Amino acid sequence: MIVLAATPIGNLGDASRRLIEALTNAEVVAAEDTRTAIHLMRALGVENRPRLIALHEHNEREKAAEVVELARAADVLVLTDAGMPAISDPGFPLVEAAAAAGVTVTALPGPSAVLTALAVSGLPTDRFTFEGFLPRKQGDRRGILRSLSDERRTMVFFESPHRLAESLADVALELGDDRRVVVCRELTKLHEEVRRGSARALADWALEGVRGEICIVIAGSEPRVVDLDRGVALVLAAVAAGDRLKDAAGEVAEATGLSKRDLYQGALAAR
């Protein structure tokens, strides 16, 4: 089978007993960086020397079929440099290929920067969305943020430290200066920092320069305050643009906090 193994995102003490056991017994390890995998095994006191296969963003689609075939005869342990494979890291094409080929895929759960940042952020955790890395180009980045301006769920992003100030400035521009933001830096490491504030305040703070691995957690948008008549009009406009009535009512309800049933019935009556 294919075994996706979560590795520490900073503190080696977060390595699970199952991870150490899997590394000790592994015959084949597919790793994002084989040097990092070797370093991890040494740091954890694992003396096993399995066959190592490089599986990274530049070759994983080409290597997927080979690794899947290997997994028919022996377990293949899949590692990325930190966190869970396939979550903004190599692994998804391999899992996709394994599922298509009928090869079992399982996981050794463990550290996750996404969930750790969300948990410590102090922002709502009942519903959230992970958006990966923001685009490097400013125009593309602003476009993505603009498309998320009405997103009600808490949003989690990865970002590089040298683009953090620019990205936070774009958050302030597209989502509003006062949008609540949390920057989580160096999670689980010695210099861990969780800084909370408005998008504008954190953008100004980041101008001083920030180092380390960065997660940005952004509060979802507040419901637009509209009355039922205006909500029904929005539903009808969406239907006129091609949406199904049921879908349009759900989207407007999500954006405004109005009752989906009332919107649906109101739109039916108006038609």
Side-chain angles (χ1 to χ4, degrees):
M1 66 176 69
I2 301 288
V3 183
L4 307 176
T7 56
I9 59 175
N11 193 318
L12 277 176
D14 293 333
S16 70
R17 292 177 62 182
R18 292 183 67 196
L19 172 63
I20 295 172
E21 180 180 353
L23 288 169
T24 299
N25 297 321
E27 296 180 22
V28 182
V29 172
E32 181 179 6
D33 188 324
T34 55
R35 295 165 299 181
T36 300
I38 291 170
H39 175 76
L40 176 65
M41 287 188 284
R42 287 175 177 167
L44 295 176
V46 174
E47 297 181 357
N48 183 29
R49 292 296 177 264
R51 175 184 175 185
L52 294 172
I53 299 172
L55 187 76
H56 46 73
E57 62 176 332
H58 302 298
N59 75 348
E60 58 180 329
R61 291 202 174 273
E62 292 73 24
K63 281 282 187 179
E66 174 189 341
V67 175
V68 167
E69 288 307 309
L70 285 172
R72 294 187 187 278
D75 291 350
V76 177
L77 192 65
V78 181
L79 308 175
T80 56
D81 291 347
M84 176 61 74
I87 307 301
S88 199
D89 266 331
F92 168 68
L94 175 61
V95 174
E96 185 180 39
V103 171
T104 299
V105 180
T106 189
L108 303 183
S112 165
V114 178
L115 296 181
T116 303
L118 178 68
V120 303
S121 69
L123 297 177
T125 60
D126 53 337
R127 300 179 67 231
F128 72 95
T129 174
F130 173 54
E131 298 292 333
F133 280 93
L134 284 164
R136 296 185 180 187
K137 294 183 178 179
Q138 186 178 70
D140 295 338
R141 185 168 60 241
R142 289 181 176 178
I144 289 292
L145 290 168
R146 193 176 307 123
S147 73
L148 293 169
S149 60
D150 290 328
E151 175 59 66
R152 297 283 301 281
R153 297 169 292 182
T154 300
M155 296 167 278
V156 184
F157 300 84
F158 288 160
E159 189 51 284
S160 67
H162 69 273
R163 288 198 302 270
L164 180 62
E166 293 179 4
S167 291
L168 290 174
D170 289 338
V171 170
L173 176 68
E174 299 295 343
L175 304 186
D177 286 347
D178 295 331
R179 182 66 69 97
R180 289 186 297 162
V181 175
V182 181
V183 175
C184 302
R185 186 180 71 85
E186 294 288 87
L187 288 170
T188 78
K189 299 177 183 177
L190 179 63
H191 298 292
E192 176 178 296
E193 180 179 19
V194 178
R195 186 171 287 263
R196 304 175 179 89
S198 68
R200 174 52 56 195
L202 290 183
D204 293 342
W205 161 75
L207 285 172
E208 300 174 7
V210 179
R211 295 181 179 180
E213 301 288 334
I214 304 291
C215 288
I216 305 173
V217 188
I218 302 176
S221 68
E222 297 295 331
R224 285 182 283 174
V225 180
V226 299
D227 60 24
L228 182 59
D229 288 342
R230 175 57 179 159
V232 169
L234 291 172
V235 172
L236 293 173
V239 171
D243 289 354
R244 295 172 54 208
L245 176 56
K246 182 178 180 181
D247 295 338
E251 290 173 3
V252 173
E254 178 71 18
T256 63
L258 293 170
S259 163
K260 178 180 177 180
R261 180 178 180 278
D262 290 346
L263 290 166
Y264 185 86
Q265 294 296 334
L268 279 179
R271 295 171 75 185

